[in-house]
Amino acid sequence: MAHDIGIDLGTTKVMVYDSEEGIVLREPSVVAVNNKTGQVLAVGEDAYIMVGKTPSHISAIWPLIDGVISDYDMTKEMIRHFVTKASGRKLIKPRVAICIPSGITDVESRAVIDTAVTAGARKVYLIEEPVAAAIGAGIDIMKPDGNAVIDIGGGTCDIAVISMGGIVQKDSIKLAGNKFDQAIIKATRNKYGVLIGEKTAEQVKKDVGSVFPLENKSTELKGRNLVTGLPQRLTVHTEDYYDDLMELAEQVVASMLSVFEKTPPELVGDIHTNGICMTGGGSLLDGLDRLMAQRTGVAVHIAEHPVDCVAIGTGKSFQYLEDLLDGITSPNTHSH
């Protein structure tokens, strides 16, 4: 039996949705490569465990930076690895839909398609993140009804107003989960003179990070003292990071407001009724939904499975191929 595969090609994580089995892969979008020989040593989870721990001749490369492909060859290797792994030993080649970063170029789009075909795809389609997120969140995108979706991933924040299968207004900013992590690293260094890594910063964000704090939570972290060079353990609090995280959150809100300003009034009225749907791992930052609701005056709800929404929507996008006005790339993707 033929099956379809949807791939959420994220800055920090790749997720794969199989039409028969649901989410089958969740792995970091990282590739480990031998700098001397150019040989790819590991992809995904196996490469992630090497981050920050490799000798000088081995690099752990993140092929996408801020939602844009920065290393074409490594992106090809990553897509090939995940398509092959997801397809397994199934006899019939799958159709593959890939959710691409909004900043991708036509040349890069063509390369992504060709790579997926080489990896075993029967036919390849590309879909924009906000459209995939809306489908994955269970929104009926074909109705003559305005819906606002904001997808906050690792590298980009994508916002769109969707109605009748088309994108009415959209915006994309290179500010998402990674930037919040970097803000925590910077704040810890400035306030305590302690350097922490990206993994630690992400955990601190989950434990105490907030842009609408209801309480001043605390957590313990370990890092390197920049004066002594020795390991140090310290306790940090929500208030230590509030100002830095709020500065970034305000930019996300400003982008949402900018999209509203350009949206036809009838659709804005629909959005006031339907609310704003937030998806992506970045939407889980404590208080971001409440801040968005306060600033826009519109109810905000986080999708039931925010982290999985784009992957699920990409996998389910095949049923909309003939109806979507926007979001699926040009017909040259149908040539295979």
Side-chain angles (χ1 to χ4, degrees):
M1 180 180 176
H3 66 120
D4 300 324
I5 288 177
I7 301 177
D8 175 10
L9 192 63
T11 302
T12 58
K13 183 174 290 186
V14 172
M15 299 180 64
V16 179
Y17 178 93
D18 186 285
S19 60
E20 298 175 354
E21 303 174 38
I23 300 289
V24 293
L25 283 176
R26 307 172 195 262
E27 297 197 26
S29 45
V30 60
V31 180
V33 62
N34 186 316
N35 299 324
K36 295 180 179 179
T37 65
Q39 178 188 4
V40 173
L41 304 176
V43 178
E45 197 65 52
D46 293 335
Y48 183 67
I49 62 177
M50 302 181 187
V51 174
K53 301 178 181 179
T54 60
S56 59
H57 70 283
I58 296 177
S59 296
I61 299 171
W62 299 86
L64 291 93
I65 297 178
D66 292 338
V68 178
I69 292 177
S70 63
D71 192 314
Y72 162 71
D73 291 330
M74 291 302 103
T75 300
K76 284 180 64 176
E77 291 293 337
M78 193 168 65
I79 293 174
R80 181 179 293 111
H81 172 82
F82 290 125
V83 169
T84 302
K85 191 171 182 179
S87 299
R89 297 184 177 180
K90 294 177 179 177
L91 298 177
I92 301 178
K93 292 183 178 182
R95 292 190 301 174
V96 175
I98 301 177
C99 186
I100 53 171
S102 56
I104 198 170
T105 65
D106 290 341
V107 173
E108 290 170 331
S109 296
R110 188 78 249 169
V112 169
I113 294 168
D114 291 342
T115 300
V117 171
T118 302
R122 183 171 84 254
K123 189 173 287 189
V124 183
Y125 303 87
L126 305 183
I127 183 170
E128 292 186 31
E129 284 188 12
V131 177
I135 295 172
I139 295 173
D140 186 350
I141 62 174
M142 302 309 302
K143 292 174 60 179
D145 193 21
N147 285 282
V149 179
I150 175 168
D151 178 64
I152 309 174
T156 60
C157 170
D158 291 280
I159 301 168
V161 172
I162 301 170
S163 179
M164 298 180 66
I167 298 175
V168 180
Q169 284 294 336
K170 64 180 178 179
D171 191 18
S172 180
I173 57 175
K174 299 184 190 312
L175 193 163
N178 289 352
K179 286 291 195 299
F180 287 109
D181 294 342
Q182 290 300 320
I184 287 174
I185 292 173
K186 182 179 178 181
T188 305
R189 183 178 65 241
N190 291 343
K191 293 178 182 179
Y192 294 103
V194 173
L195 182 63
I196 61 174
E198 294 176 0
K199 295 180 183 178
T200 299
E202 183 179 13
Q203 191 58 52
V204 170
K205 178 179 67 178
K206 293 177 180 177
D207 291 343
V208 302
S210 179
V211 293
F212 205 100
L214 299 178
E215 61 177 309
N216 188 26
K217 295 178 286 188
S218 64
T219 190
E220 192 176 80
L221 61 78
K222 291 177 286 185
R224 173 164 57 86
N225 188 294
L226 292 171
V227 176
T228 66
L230 299 174
Q232 181 173 339
R233 186 191 303 264
L234 72 150
T235 299
V236 294
H237 304 83
T238 300
E239 61 186 12
D240 293 328
Y241 305 106
Y242 172 74
D243 290 340
D244 300 272
L245 295 179
M246 177 60 84
E247 182 179 344
L248 297 176
E250 290 285 9
Q251 295 180 49
V252 175
V253 173
S255 183
M256 183 82 256
L257 291 172
S258 175
V259 169
F260 280 171
E261 289 172 0
K262 302 170 187 174
T263 301
E266 292 294 337
L267 293 180
V268 173
D270 291 340
I271 293 168
H272 193 273
T273 300
N274 298 330
I276 299 169
C277 178
M278 295 183 69
T279 68
S283 67
L284 297 176
L285 175 64
D286 182 64
L288 186 55
D289 56 334
R290 297 191 295 276
L291 177 68
M292 183 71 71
Q294 182 188 70
R295 295 287 197 273
T296 63
V298 178
V300 176
H301 63 277
I302 299 174
E304 186 176 356
H305 303 289
V307 178
D308 299 348
C309 270
V310 171
I312 294 171
T314 304
K316 291 183 175 181
S317 64
F318 295 96
Q319 60 190 284
Y320 296 97
L321 292 180
E322 304 302 323
D323 300 318
L324 275 177
L325 299 177
D326 293 299
I328 297 285
T329 50
S330 58
N332 63 10
T333 63
H334 297 211
S335 61
H336 297 289

